[in-house]
Amino acid sequence: MEQHATISAEGLTKIYEDGVCALDHVSFAVKPGEIFCLLGGNGAGKTTAINIFLGFIPPSQGVAKIHNVDIHRDPLEAKKYVSYLSDVVMLYPNFTARQNLDFFARLGGKHALTRDDYYTALRRVGLQEKAFEQKLKGFSKGMRQKVGLAIAIIKESPAIILDEPTSGLDPKAANEFQTTLLGLRAQGKAILMSTHDIFRAKEIADTVGIMNEGKMLAIKSRKELEHEDLEQLYLNYIHGKVAA
Amino acid sequence: MWRIFLEKELKDSLQSARFVVTSLVSIALIALSFYLGIAHYQARLSQYEQSQQMMLETASQQTNWMAASVFAFRKPDPMEVFVNGINSDIGRYSEINQMRGIKLVRSEFGDDPMLAVFQFLDLSFVVQIVLSLMAILFTYNAINGEKEGGTLKLIFANQISKAEFILGKLLGNWVALLVPFIISFLIGAMLIIAMGVEMSAAHWGRFAIFAFSAVLYFTCFMLIGVFVSALTKRSSLSFLILLVCWIVSVLIIPKAATMLAGQAMPVPSADEIESRIASFSTQARTEFFASMNKLFAERFRPVEGQSQEQRDQFVRENQERWQQEEKEIRETMDKKIAEYSARQYEDLYNQKNSQELLALSLSKFSPASAFQLVAMKLGGTDTGLKRRYEDAMKDYRKQYTNFLSDKGGGHGGIRLSVSNGRGTVSAAEPKKINIAEMPKFSDPVYGAGEAINASLFDVGLLALFNILAFVGAFVAFLHYDLR
Ligand SMILES: Nc1ncnc2c1ncn2[C@@H]1O[C@H](COP(=O)(O)OP(=O)(O)OP(=O)(O)O)[C@@H](O)[C@H]1O
Ligand SMILES: [Mg+2]
């Protein structure tokens, strides 16, 4: 039996008030245990798509579903099943890592967590122990990103959406990040992430969706990519040398 | 859900060094102004008691009631601790004299110009500055700060409605601001008790309403802060806008209102009025003498060319009628002058009233002026203070004048002295007057009921500002772009 997609877009279109067409009939689906990478350059429409999935903006056309709930129709119900890590993660500088985690965990409906639960989550994303009870003020971008990921994890939702989670991280931090994601995939989460990092995408993604100027040019599975040079493919696509 | 936000805002504030330091500074400033207010009141009180004592002592040395100079002193009220109002602008006492009217003289600002230059920084003023600044400082980035930090999107990736968030946010910020406010006012109340200010239950009641309107006041600025924060994307912009709002409503409107009203409706000065009256009476008198001259000429026309005897006879026959006639003309003139001067003063009073009204209505556009009005009306140090005292002193002057005429027109005993070249020998040792017989001046009563009634309108105005700002903040956030 075909497995149900946890995250799905059908003919998603977004035309901004100023007439910019940021998304043009984009469709894709992410199944449980799958990492789907939206790959595209600046202005390709990745963030726009993600914003639609979180109900921050309405689509002009098409449907975005999470756990089979139309996010635009019933945003509060759909948001039960998704956790999110945004591209800007400053979090609350006056809170410690644990306090940040605690606040967002309770917003996510986790009211009965203990200090140990928080520590477990923070350990899982690879934050050093001594930072657990330190204020975020002094944290590096990588450390904040880890706390952000812990926030996404602790909600234990079936869908996880990440907007450029590895941009600005050093190779070691990005690698740790990747390891955590693979663990989540193994747990059966459906993960949608955007990136402009071709190598990262090739390494981690089960499926890569190549986007340019609001269009989904191609969706390639890991198997299909095994024998191809993704970089060449990407450049070809965006230069229109290959028909989609 | 709102409880999570409430807790978060509180924790965030209490863990922020900026908040803690600012709170401590505010608490210290407010407590200090309580202390200064109390010290000022107590100094005034002992000065009041001393002056009164001195007046009585000097008067009791007199042997003639007419020679005694009697003064009525304005008694300091404990509400001055909170709001000084026009207290230092108006005189501390007036002489009570048969001949002269009531005139309050020797104001504090007149005696001590330095005080006027630096203004008396009373509690109501410090509250106006400090609490509103604090409210703005901690809400200018309430919404757009969360956006800049990326937390707004993280929050709304959960099952949270915008209404829940904004309500929790407002409540959390409000409670956080309430903490330093309550601490500073508790310290103030303890200072009042510890320093032995005699406050009646009615005074405490008025103080409680003062505190309540201070809460309304800073809540208003907090709501405006969140409102502006929900209208802008960047916190640097909202900070700038709020700073301008603050300067306009706290520093400019209250002053500009008075100035604008003065320009829109110039009111003649007291000197101007007096010179007008003087020239009017000169003219009236000239007319009076002219008509008298004419009258005399006409009166003697029938006996022109007759003998002295006949003329004397004529005068004797008509004297009474003439005197009556002259009296009537003189009275008409006096009445005319009195009416003119009364009208001048009434016009001045009316003009001043409408000027004040215009100033007040202009200042209604600022929560700061509304709060200041509430405070002054509660404290009884509003513009009515002078009128109340003048009225009470006028009553007392009547009482005192009656008392003097009861004492035989003020003649206590005639002192005869004969100089023999070597010194003065008194013929009879004169009796000193008994000062205890003199009627006592009682201060005008400004009760809690009256105070509350007077301030109710402006409390309502503050509440209205709050409602408008709340609706503004709420609606602005419902339309806020979360991205
Ligand atoms: N609020 C907006 N109003 C108008 N146009 C917008 C708005 N937000 C984004 N756009 C436009 O939509 C297009 C897609 O933007 P989007 O942010 O989705 O790209 P992206 O793939 O996330 O790019 P990046 O890699 O730079 O994050 C761009 O052309 C952008 O200028
Ligand atoms: Mg983007």
Side-chain angles (χ1 to χ4, degrees), chain B residues 325-338:
Chain B
E325 221 171 59
E326 280 162 29
K327 200 179 149 211
E328 267 166 27
I329 295 176
R330 189 184 293 275
E331 271 173 5
T332 321
M333 177 199 72
D334 284 344
K335 213 171 129 199
K336 231 166 86 183
I337 295 176

Side-chain angles (χ1 to χ4, degrees), chain A residues 16 51 54 56-57 76 79-80 82 84 86-92 94-95 99 102-104 106-108 111 135 155, chain B residues 1 4-5 7-9 11-12 15-17 146 148-161 481-483:
Chain A
Y16 282 110
N51 281 339
L54 289 155
F56 298 150
I57 48 173
L76 291 188
K79 283 178 190 180
K80 270 195 210 168
V82 66
Y84 167 64
S86 78
D87 40 356
V88 189
V89 204
M90 298 302 294
L91 300 172
Y92 295 112
N94 286 320
F95 279 5
Q99 284 172 329
D102 173 62
F103 170 64
F104 285 105
R106 292 197 295 149
L107 284 187
H111 293 281
K135 287 191 182 181
K155 192 172 170 184
Chain B
M1 260 321 169
I4 302 175
F5 292 112
E7 222 173 278
K8 173 230 149 192
E9 292 298 330
K11 232 196 266 176
D12 196 12
Q15 284 181 199
S16 135
E146 298 255 12
E148 286 169 336
T151 42
L152 202 58
K153 288 211 272 183
L154 284 192
I155 290 169
F156 283 98
N158 294 297
Q159 232 188 329
I160 307 291
S161 73
D481 189 348
L482 296 172
R483 287 170 297 158

